[in-house]
Amino acid sequence: MAKVLCVLYDDPTDGYPASYARDDLPRIDRYPDGQTTPTPQGIDFTPDHLLGSVSGELGLRSFLESRGHTLVVTSDKDGADSEFDRELVDADVVISQPFWPAYLTAERIAKAPNLKLAVTAGIGSDHVDLDAAIEHGVTVAEVTFSNSISVAEHVVMMILSLVRNYLPSHQVVLDGGWNIADCVQRAYDLEGMHVGTVAAGRIGLAVLRRLAPFDVKLHYTDRHRLPAEVEEELGLTFHASAEEMAPRCDVVTINAPLHPETEGLFGDELLGSMKRGAYLINTARGKIADRDAVVRALRSGQLAGYAGDVWFPQPAPPDHPWRTMPHHGMTPHISGSTLSAQARYAAGTREILEAWLGGTPIREEYLITDGSGLAGAGAHSYSVNAGNK
């Protein structure tokens, strides 16, 4: 029988919800590329409920325990004596989320001789040292596409909130004020601006499609160029690198995975090459942007705004400078953890577990490593010697 260690974020501060704002979710059976949404043999949860916190348990307890497996759920993941570290030593499976990552470092993997499967409930497995996982024969899987559209919607929201100066204007209302000039002195139209994405995979392409009706000029850079018909349909301009694209854009959104080629990409040099007053959106990974370079660019006016929901480390400490830098629209890492997304990544996590526990193949598109090397989505998105980030 398997021991499954699941690391989830804490329940709401006022307790696990007794009711919800809505009574149902729209039914989605396929993603835009035709891939079917998760198809587990069954589910033991209500799809519109909070599943990603410790009490939600991703809806896994009944499924696992009825089959004789052990489920341990915790939010205590950091520090030498964390519950995660204590339970990891004999765990067969670790489940974690990008929003509350249990960093599976090489050292932690070495201390877990039974570990054979690491599942990301969501997308983005850079919190796992992929090199160490491959070395120790650990399969890494994630629920590919489960929350890509959720993140894309968040990106569009953040672009508009920065360009239109929404957050400070809303604060004026909360403060009881009505000074129009205070609100509009930093407000612009998105129409006509040049907007570019670093990476045009599932999230980046979804962002481009959602921005096209705003009559903006769209740019992208990616290791894999999009088909010519897609470029023509959306009026896209391709650039060979972020260094080539960024100076052309009024808005840049980062939608790339974290690996050695992207870590620290947006530092002083690249930020300094952008238009003065450009906006940068990062819902990918915090370490793709140099923490202190972003602060300097905002304070100098080189950047007009920075928004995102990814930090390093996560959770971000109270004194993280991105909490207090000017003209930002930061949120906790929430873009891919809507109740809608949770229903899909919880179902996908169960689908992965059903396959692994039953000795059947995990969907190819869910695989990051197959125990011997990069595989599936991982072979497309990550580079060799990815390391732990």
Side-chain angles (χ1 to χ4, degrees), residues 221-233:
T221 181
D222 197 290
R223 293 193 295 180
H224 309 280
R225 189 162 181 174
L226 293 169
E229 57 268 26
V230 175
E231 290 187 350
E232 183 177 356
E233 173 196 354

Side-chain angles (χ1 to χ4, degrees), residues 22 29 38 46 48 86 92 138 146 162 172 283 287 364 367:
R22 291 178 50 82
D29 296 317
T46 303
D48 59 350
R86 295 195 304 270
D92 300 282
V138 177
S146 61
L162 286 182
V172 168
T283 57
K287 290 182 75 174
E364 181 73 12
L367 288 173

Side-chain angles (χ1 to χ4, degrees), residues 201-259:
R202 295 176 178 87
I203 296 173
L205 180 57
V207 170
L208 293 171
R209 289 193 180 282
R210 281 154 180 75
L211 288 175
F214 284 88
D215 292 326
V216 293
K217 299 172 178 62
L218 295 172
H219 303 252
Y220 82 100
T221 181
D222 197 290
R223 293 193 295 180
H224 309 280
R225 189 162 181 174
L226 293 169
E229 57 268 26
V230 175
E231 290 187 350
E232 183 177 356
E233 173 196 354
L234 298 176
L236 304 180
T237 299
F238 173 75
H239 301 269
S241 66
E243 291 81 1
E244 178 185 304
M245 183 189 76
R248 298 279 307 278
C249 294
D250 303 285
V251 180
V252 173
T253 169
I254 305 171
N255 300 292
L258 175 66
H259 50 71

Side-chain angles (χ1 to χ4, degrees), residues 15-282:
Y16 194 72
S19 62
Y20 293 84
R22 291 178 50 82
D23 295 329
D24 59 9
L25 295 175
R27 182 178 177 85
I28 298 173
D29 296 317
R30 291 185 179 272
Y31 300 122
D33 69 348
Q35 176 185 319
T36 59
T37 53
T39 53
Q41 296 171 14
I43 59 171
D44 299 307
F45 59 79
T46 303
D48 59 350
H49 283 194
L50 178 61
L51 303 169
S53 70
V54 288
S55 291
E57 301 181 321
L58 294 178
L60 293 174
R61 186 167 297 280
S62 177
F63 160 65
L64 289 171
E65 292 185 346
S66 67
R67 288 158 176 78
H69 305 295
T70 300
L71 176 65
V72 177
V73 180
T74 182
S75 64
D76 180 20
K77 65 184 182 68
D78 297 316
D81 192 40
S82 68
E83 185 175 1
F84 173 67
D85 279 291
R86 295 195 304 270
E87 298 287 350
L88 178 63
V89 293
D90 61 347
D92 300 282
V93 180
V94 167
I95 302 170
S96 181
Q97 299 175 99
F99 331 107
W100 191 259
Y103 292 100
L104 269 176
T105 61
E107 294 76 17
R108 279 174 159 168
I109 291 174
K111 294 176 181 177
N114 294 347
L115 185 62
K116 290 295 180 284
L117 176 65
V119 179
T120 298
I123 56 176
S125 296
D126 52 272
H127 57 282
V128 180
D129 188 314
L130 299 181
D131 296 327
I134 293 168
E135 179 183 350
H136 288 266
V138 177
T139 295
V140 181
E142 62 183 46
V143 192
T144 306
F145 224 147
S146 61
N147 53 5
S148 298
I149 302 305
S150 311
V151 177
E153 290 184 0
H154 200 86
V155 170
V156 174
M157 176 188 72
M158 284 186 152
I159 291 173
L160 289 169
S161 70
L162 286 182
V163 173
R164 299 302 297 262
N165 204 36
Y166 168 73
L167 293 173
S169 302
H170 180 57
Q171 189 63 47
V172 168
V173 171
L174 296 178
D175 293 342
W178 194 267
N179 193 308
I180 303 299
D182 285 343
C183 299
V184 302
Q185 63 179 327
R186 295 183 64 87
Y188 299 88
D189 290 345
L190 184 61
E191 182 184 20
M193 286 190 175
H194 290 256
V195 183
T197 175
V198 177
R202 295 176 178 87
I203 296 173
L205 180 57
V207 170
L208 293 171
R209 289 193 180 282
R210 281 154 180 75
L211 288 175
F214 284 88
D215 292 326
V216 293
K217 299 172 178 62
L218 295 172
H219 303 252
Y220 82 100
T221 181
D222 197 290
R223 293 193 295 180
H224 309 280
R225 189 162 181 174
L226 293 169
E229 57 268 26
V230 175
E231 290 187 350
E232 183 177 356
E233 173 196 354
L234 298 176
L236 304 180
T237 299
F238 173 75
H239 301 269
S241 66
E243 291 81 1
E244 178 185 304
M245 183 189 76
R248 298 279 307 278
C249 294
D250 303 285
V251 180
V252 173
T253 169
I254 305 171
N255 300 292
L258 175 66
H259 50 71
E261 297 169 25
T262 59
E263 182 175 350
L265 176 63
F266 281 83
D268 287 314
E269 184 176 354
L270 187 53
L271 292 172
S273 75
M274 296 172 69
K275 292 182 179 181
R276 190 190 76 83
Y279 305 89
L280 183 61
I281 314 296
N282 182 10

Side-chain angles (χ1 to χ4, degrees), residues 348-389:
T349 299
R350 172 157 172 173
E351 182 184 341
I352 291 168
L353 289 174
E354 287 174 350
W356 187 79
L357 293 169
T360 59
I362 296 171
R363 274 205 222 192
E364 181 73 12
E365 59 259 38
Y366 288 169
L367 288 173
I368 303 301
T369 76
D370 61 4
S372 62
L374 293 174
H380 181 87
S381 300
Y382 292 92
S383 54
V384 293
N385 299 317
N388 179 71
K389 302 300 179 186

